[in-house]
Amino acid sequence: MDISAARQPYRAAAAAFFGTMIEWYDFFIYATASALVFGDVFFSNADHFVGTLASLGTFAVGFVARPVGAIVFGHLGDKVGRKRSLIVTLLLMGIATMVIGMLPSYQSIGVMAPILLVVLRLLQGVAVGGEWGGAVLIAAEHAPPKLRTFLAAAPQYGSPVGLVIATSMFAAVSSLPDADFKSWGWRIPFLFSGVLVLAALLIRRSVNESPELEAHRERMAKARHVQEVAPLRNIFARYKTRLLLGMALSMLGISGFYFITTLMITFTTTYLHVARPDILRVGTYTGIVELLSFPIASYIATRIGERRTIAIVAGAAVLWAAPMMMLVMTGNIANIAVGILVATVFIGAYYAVLAPFLPKAFPIDVRYTGISLSFQLCGALFGGTTPLLGLWIAERFGLHWGPLALLFAIIAGATLLGAVLIPHEPQAEGGAESEGNLSASGAASGMTVRNA
């Protein structure tokens, strides 16, 4: 075998990791800024709560745009190729983020400031909508079978690393005097994104197209078969139930994650008066704990099966919801850290296994569209709205642990349900995991199982 070809699985995993790291770094700095500073910089309102709510509203807008990115880049990735789609998403996200860092405040240009912020946030959402699915597939479809569970998780490592870099950057600039922080300090993390994008672009361009996709095209060409149906139409015609279960499966990774990060930053600083640098340090530890949980979960999944691993950690997250919020409500930073970091272990373990698990639900010719829509429709409906809903619950019920604990338990419970019920393509099954009754449930739901 050609040495360069032998290195492609690892090169693809590295490209998926670095690209996703930057995408999520950009997304996390926006999430942090929306919780800490955008309400004062881009919205003119004397009520701090209303300003923060409006700022988190622009955060939610990015999730609404994600399904658009899933559709556009999913179609491009399934029809043209994974590589081209991923280069465009990286450039789009990086440019939008840098422009946000240069955007004038409300005091400078009035209402145009929040309008431009929303437009740029929409572009960020479109880019992220197309990034995750493509990054997972470019890593998974290059990987040899024995390493697929580990290498397919490469993009997932980008998320916590992006979180660590983002929170570290904001922890550094948040120590500035408040006036400097709100004037120019918060802009530094956004402008730094341009340097990261250039580095990731060079790595991503060195990766070949997915060999699995190219092999599928060769088979179709030899059979003189032309796939005329658009991937999106095919998904809604034949795989609607899988799409809904894929959305449920994605809940803990999207809604649950923003519960313990964006919502907890806003809640602890606004209602419990926790110092901003303290909670940002917890955010940094969150990324580190998530990183440590990934390889452990991947190894466990190779032993007991991906489905069983996700079901176990989702069930554990349901049980941890009440103790977590009891610890948070004490207002003690050590207790808050314990509550959030234990939840992070469960979310991280699930998130590592999601990448190799979810693509098995869809055949290759609609796989990019299928997994992207599952993940991003979940984000549009529940990801960006989770901090808003949590903030409303806190305002409505006050400092009571029960309502917020119930919200987190419902999020984790949805993922547990998705893990148990989602069917898989027969040829994609691993030896450690039995699917028999679930294939039957897929057939009973009226879906046609096709060979990739």
Side-chain angles (χ1 to χ4, degrees):
M1 179 184 291
D2 186 282
I3 295 178
S4 178
R7 291 174 178 170
Q8 275 295 310
Y10 305 100
R11 190 175 293 172
F17 163 73
F18 282 106
T20 307
M21 177 195 75
I22 292 164
E23 297 276 1
W24 288 107
Y25 166 82
D26 290 352
F27 219 65
F28 290 141
I29 59 175
Y30 191 101
T32 305
S34 67
L36 297 180
V37 70
F38 280 176
D40 295 323
V41 174
F42 293 112
F43 298 92
S44 178
N45 197 300
D47 189 326
H48 179 72
F49 169 74
V50 174
T52 302
L53 195 64
S55 175
L56 289 175
T58 67
F59 176 68
V61 162
F63 286 90
V64 175
R66 282 183 175 197
V68 177
I71 293 169
V72 172
F73 292 109
H75 183 91
L76 180 64
D78 283 326
K79 289 291 188 179
V80 179
R82 319 308 198 199
K83 178 178 177 178
R84 294 182 187 179
S85 179
L86 286 170
I87 288 175
V88 176
T89 61
L90 182 63
L91 289 173
L92 183 61
M93 186 70 170
I95 292 170
T97 301
M98 288 185 65
V99 175
I100 289 175
M102 297 181 284
L103 198 62
S105 66
Y106 185 96
Q107 286 70 29
S108 299
I109 60 172
V111 72
M112 282 302 297
I115 291 175
L116 290 173
L117 182 66
V118 169
V119 170
L120 292 167
R121 179 60 176 165
L122 286 170
L123 292 177
Q124 279 192 324
V126 169
V128 171
E131 167 68 23
W132 183 81
V136 166
L137 293 184
I138 202 72
E141 292 173 357
H142 272 87
K146 290 184 179 180
L147 294 176
R148 187 181 180 104
T149 298
F150 284 95
L151 292 184
Q156 312 300 73
Y157 285 80
S159 176
V161 171
L163 174 63
V164 169
I165 298 173
T167 53
S168 297
M169 290 287 288
F170 261 96
V173 298
S174 68
S175 61
L176 292 167
D178 195 59
D180 291 339
F181 174 68
K182 291 179 179 178
S183 175
W184 56 268
W186 67 268
R187 300 177 186 274
I188 294 175
F190 286 83
L191 297 176
F192 181 66
S193 174
V195 178
L196 298 177
V197 166
L198 287 176
L201 187 60
L202 292 174
I203 298 171
R204 189 160 277 187
R205 286 172 62 87
S206 69
V207 178
N208 296 336
E209 184 51 81
S210 160
E212 194 171 331
L213 180 63
E214 290 186 333
H216 169 74
R217 287 172 173 171
E218 288 178 8
R219 290 195 300 270
M220 295 298 100
K222 288 179 180 178
R224 296 183 179 180
H225 173 77
V226 178
Q227 182 73 28
E228 296 181 351
V229 178
L232 180 65
R233 189 184 307 170
N234 205 348
I235 288 290
F236 283 105
R238 311 181 76 170
Y239 303 104
K240 290 188 294 290
T241 302
R242 299 190 193 199
L243 178 63
L244 291 173
L245 289 171
M247 291 169 60
L249 183 68
S250 302
M251 281 289 286
L252 191 58
I254 296 176
S255 189
F257 184 79
Y258 286 108
F259 183 102
I260 66 168
T261 54
T262 305
L263 174 59
M264 286 297 100
I265 289 173
T266 306
F267 178 77
T268 56
T269 56
T270 302
Y271 293 93
L272 302 178
H273 307 294
V274 173
R276 191 166 56 200
D278 289 343
I279 193 62
L280 287 173
R281 274 193 293 272
V282 174
T284 301
Y285 299 147
T286 296
I288 295 171
V289 169
E290 195 175 10
L291 267 178
L292 294 174
S293 69
F294 281 178
I296 297 172
S298 294
Y299 175 76
I300 292 172
T302 64
R303 307 296 296 177
I304 69 173
E306 294 160 2
R307 188 187 304 273
R308 191 173 291 115
T309 302
I310 291 179
I312 290 171
V313 295
V318 172
L319 297 176
W320 182 247
M324 175 179 67
M325 288 313 304
M326 288 179 182
L327 288 167
V328 169
M329 288 299 178
T330 65
N332 179 275
I333 191 62
N335 290 341
I336 293 171
V338 171
I340 290 176
L341 295 179
V342 171
T344 301
V345 171
F346 302 138
I347 293 176
Y350 144 84
Y351 197 54
V353 183
L354 176 68
F357 181 71
L358 180 58
K360 295 177 182 178
F362 300 96
I364 190 168
D365 55 338
V366 297
R367 188 175 292 158
Y368 198 143
T369 302
I371 70 171
S372 294
L373 267 182
S374 296
F375 200 70
Q376 307 307 347
L377 281 174
C378 176
L381 294 173
F382 306 109
T385 55
T386 295
L388 288 172
L389 179 58
L391 195 61
W392 177 84
I393 288 173
E395 191 72 9
R396 173 69 176 80
F397 295 99
L399 298 181
H400 298 288
W401 62 266
L404 286 175
L406 178 61
L407 175 61
F408 188 80
I410 291 172
I411 291 166
T415 289
L416 175 60
L417 184 67
V420 171
L421 296 180
I422 196 167
H424 275 173
E425 289 290 292
Q427 77 283 359
E429 304 304 334
E433 190 169 22
S434 174
E435 307 289 350
N437 63 329
L438 293 163
S439 295
S441 71
S445 68
M447 294 176 293
T448 302
V449 177
R450 301 167 48 208
N451 290 329

